[in-house]
């Protein structure tokens, strides 16, 4: 790993250094060459002006001698022409053989009275020259410097630049190698650290005192590792606390993954199965109860909380199963043992039923004898008053025992309902006709709101009649001041919803959740005065539950109350 980083960094460094060296060499050479040319032109211009001055003032030597001497002194080719462009003298060629120079660019400028400069190949010797011409009386003079001389002068510079660049390249390469090795080692430390963290070693640390980018990366990774370790410790602590909490529960808890395999189970599950479920094994290997397995599968598949009842996980015991989906897939199930609670509930129901049944006979006797005494002539008004109190309370106790017996039979399932397909409108009209006259003495109008839906429900006529009886009697006792009670029904998603609405004083919101509990009274004093047993709404609730429906109450103070219950819709009869 370190060698790969080293060679990559080294390759990049060499590429940059090489490109820099070549670019620098080319740039320096180009600048040097341009500067040299400018210097040559400047020197040549000065020598040309001196040549022109000598031609103007020297009368000792001939024009050919002056031209030869000035060309030799300047190290350049010297030429003199007349105003027509005819060559009068040249330091390197016979003037008579040379063509007219009137149209040469430098001579055109010089004959115009200014110094002319041009750069081109000489037609005479066919090599590049720099030409500088200056005006004189009766024509112009010119010096021509061969450019190959520039290349000769430039060659040592090229050699010096090459060896200088090579030396700098070698030195830079050594520095780059050391830097690559240093950077590679630092990056390798970061890679080793990251691999340790990836392997699960959260105690790994990487210290860096450098403030460059690599140092900042190392510091950031080190902080990240510390925070991950702290978070992992917190998660482990929370997990141990959760495991301790779940293991301390009496209820059995088991978690199943999305693949249907056991992920975790508490000690309660181990005690229930008499052996610990095998982790990562299919759930069906440990538990074969179909209701339990169906609840787990539904919760995991549909992501909804599912409830079920199991009777075969442990012999002779009944469990309430609640399965809930887990965020990552799968489900967790809690099994609550209901055996003792159901046994106690059955004992309670049996006790209430037996006591109520045993009380019926003496209460009937008390009522009978009391009514017989009341029918006989009694002179003492106090005795008659006492007998009336006895009759009234015995009648109330008789109603209470009857309601207790009814409630016990419905709760235990002992009461068998004759469920049939019944029209919703028929149930409403039957209740309306049966209780219209009962409501009249209270000064209350009993009416049906709008028209019932054209639907049918699955229900026992007599049981539903008893529900309406309990709800209407309840409204007459507590909401007769509203002077009106309305019956109605409407189609809902779960079936058909029936309701009894009154316009009395209403019920405070804190009482609504407990209205259907047995013996619960909103106004205890008024309930005793009206002779209520406190069981009417509880009986209605259990009858509705036995039909597979729901019941609830809605109310606001001074705005009346509405009691609503839903019965499942019946399927249409086939023709």
């Amino acid at each position: 790993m370190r060698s790969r980083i080293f060679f990559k960094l080294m390759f990049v460094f060499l590429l940059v250094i090489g490109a820099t060296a070549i670019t620098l060499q080319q740039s320096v050479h180009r600048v040097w060459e341009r500067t040299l040319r400018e210097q040559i032109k400047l020197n040549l211009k000065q020598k040309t002006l001196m040549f022109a001055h000598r031609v103007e003032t020297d009368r000792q030597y001939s024009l050919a001698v002056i031209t030869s001497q000035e060309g030799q002194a300047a190290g350049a080719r010297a030429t003199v022409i007349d105003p027509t462009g005819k060559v009068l003298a040249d330091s390197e060629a016979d003037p008579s053989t040379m063509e007219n120079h009137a149209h040469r660019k430098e001579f055109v400028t010089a004959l115009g009275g200014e110094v002319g400069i041009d750069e081109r190949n000489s037609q005479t010797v066919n090599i590049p020259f720099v030409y500088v011409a200056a005006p004189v009386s009766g024509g112009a003079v010119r010096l021509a410097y061969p450019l190959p001389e520039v290349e000769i002068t430039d060659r040592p510079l090229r050699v010096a630049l090459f060896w200088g660049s090579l030396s700098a390249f070698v030195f830079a390469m050594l520095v780059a190698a050391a830097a690559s090795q240093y950077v590679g080692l630092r990056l390798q430390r970061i890679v080793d650290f990251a691999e340790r963290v990836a392997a699960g070693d959260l105690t790994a640390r990487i210290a860096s005192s450098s403030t460059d980018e690599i140092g900042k990366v190392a510091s950031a990774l080190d902080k990240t590792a510390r925070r991950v370790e702290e978070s992992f410790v917190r998660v482990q602590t929370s997990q141990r606390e959760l495991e301790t909490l779940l293991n301390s529960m009496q209820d059995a808890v088991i978690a199943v993954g999305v693949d249907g395999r056991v992920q975790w189970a508490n000690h309660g599950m181990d005690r229930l199965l008499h052996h610990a479920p095998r982790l990562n094994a299919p759930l069906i290997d440990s538990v074969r109860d179909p209701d339990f397995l169906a609840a787990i599968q539904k919760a995991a598949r549909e992501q909804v909380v599912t409830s079920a009842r199991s009777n075969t996980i442990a012999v002779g015991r009944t469990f309430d199963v609640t399965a809930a989906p887990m965020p990552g897939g799968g489900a967790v199930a809690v099994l609550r043992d209901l055996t003792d609670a159901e046994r106690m509930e059955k004992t309670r129901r049996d006790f209430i039923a037996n006591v109520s049944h045993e009380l019926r006979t003496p209460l009937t006797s008390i009522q009978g004898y009391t009514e017989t005494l009341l029918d006989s002539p009694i002179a003492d008004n106090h005795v008659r008053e006492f007998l009336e109190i006895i009759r009234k309370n015995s009648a109330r106790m008789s109603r209470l025992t009857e309601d207790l017996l009814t409630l016990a039979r419905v709760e235990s399932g002992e009461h068998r309902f004759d469920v049939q397909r019944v029209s919703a409108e028929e149930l409403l009209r039957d209740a309306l006709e049966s209780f219209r006259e009962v409501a009249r003495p209270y000064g209350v109008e009993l009416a049906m709101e709008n028209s019932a839906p054209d639907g049918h429900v699955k229900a026992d006529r007599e049981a539903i009649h008893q529900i309406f009886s309990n709800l209407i009697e309840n409204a007459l006792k507590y909401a007769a001041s509203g002077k009106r009670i309305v019956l109605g029904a409407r189609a809902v998603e779960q079936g058909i919803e029936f309701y009894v609405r009154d316009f009395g004083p209403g019920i405070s919101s804190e009482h609504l959740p407990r209205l259907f509990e047995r013996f619960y009274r909103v106004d205890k004093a008024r309930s005793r005065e009206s002779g209520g047993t406190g069981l009417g709404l509880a009986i209605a609730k259990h009858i509705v539950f036995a039909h597979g429906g729901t019941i609830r109450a809605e109310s606001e103070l001074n705005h009346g109350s509405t009691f609503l219950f839903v019965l499942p819709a019946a399927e249409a009869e086939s023709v």
Side-chain angles (χ1 to χ4, degrees), residues 491-532:
V492 294
E493 184 178 353
Q494 299 85 357
I496 294 180
E497 186 176 61
F498 298 87
Y499 58 88
V500 176
R501 180 181 295 125
D502 64 61
F503 300 89
I507 304 170
S508 181
S509 59
E510 67 266 17
H511 297 293
L512 294 178
R514 301 190 60 191
L515 282 180
F516 296 95
E517 294 179 9
R518 56 174 66 89
F519 299 116
Y520 185 80
R521 296 180 176 89
V522 176
D523 188 345
K524 297 179 174 58
R526 187 173 179 183
S527 178
R528 285 193 294 270
E529 290 175 3
S530 63

Side-chain angles (χ1 to χ4, degrees), residues 87-247:
V87 178
L88 300 177
D90 189 271
S91 62
E92 295 184 7
D94 184 3
S96 62
T97 61
M98 298 176 65
E99 62 181 5
N100 191 286
H101 284 42
H103 299 290
R104 303 293 172 88
K105 183 177 179 181
E106 69 278 5
F107 278 126
V108 171
T109 304
L111 292 175
E114 296 180 359
V115 178
I117 300 175
D118 192 20
E119 186 178 322
R120 66 179 181 273
N121 281 347
S122 172
Q123 296 180 359
T124 305
V125 296
N126 198 29
I127 60 175
F129 276 82
V130 174
Y131 297 95
V132 178
V136 293
S137 300
V141 297
R142 183 188 70 181
L143 290 179
Y145 188 83
L147 286 180
E149 296 295 329
V150 175
E151 295 181 359
I152 293 172
T153 306
D154 187 41
R155 190 173 295 116
L157 175 65
R158 288 177 177 272
V159 174
L161 283 175
F162 171 76
W163 287 109
S165 298
L166 182 62
S167 301
F169 181 80
V170 172
F171 177 75
M173 185 179 66
L174 295 175
V175 174
S180 301
Q181 183 75 5
Y182 174 67
V183 173
L185 289 172
R186 294 179 67 190
L187 291 176
Q188 184 62 43
R189 286 182 59 212
I190 294 177
V191 171
D192 294 341
F193 164 77
E195 288 178 348
R196 287 179 61 190
V197 173
D201 183 10
L202 298 181
T203 61
R205 295 292 179 267
I206 177 170
S208 177
S209 59
S210 177
T211 58
D212 60 6
E213 286 75 5
I214 297 178
K216 290 179 179 179
V217 170
S219 298
L221 290 174
D222 189 71
K223 291 180 182 177
T224 301
R226 292 178 186 276
R227 291 177 181 174
V228 169
E229 183 184 20
E230 292 172 0
S231 300
F232 186 71
V233 170
R234 286 196 296 269
V235 169
Q236 283 186 321
T237 302
S238 298
Q239 184 178 5
R240 286 192 293 268
E241 291 175 352
L242 180 60
E243 288 183 0
T244 303
L245 175 62
L246 292 176
N247 285 326

Side-chain angles (χ1 to χ4, degrees), residues 4 27 40 83 86 98 106 156 162 219-220 277 288 401 420 478:
R4 290 201 299 270
S27 300
I40 290 174
K86 179 181 177 182
M98 298 176 65
E106 69 278 5
F162 171 76
S219 298
R288 297 181 180 273
T401 56
Q420 298 178 357
Y478 300 105

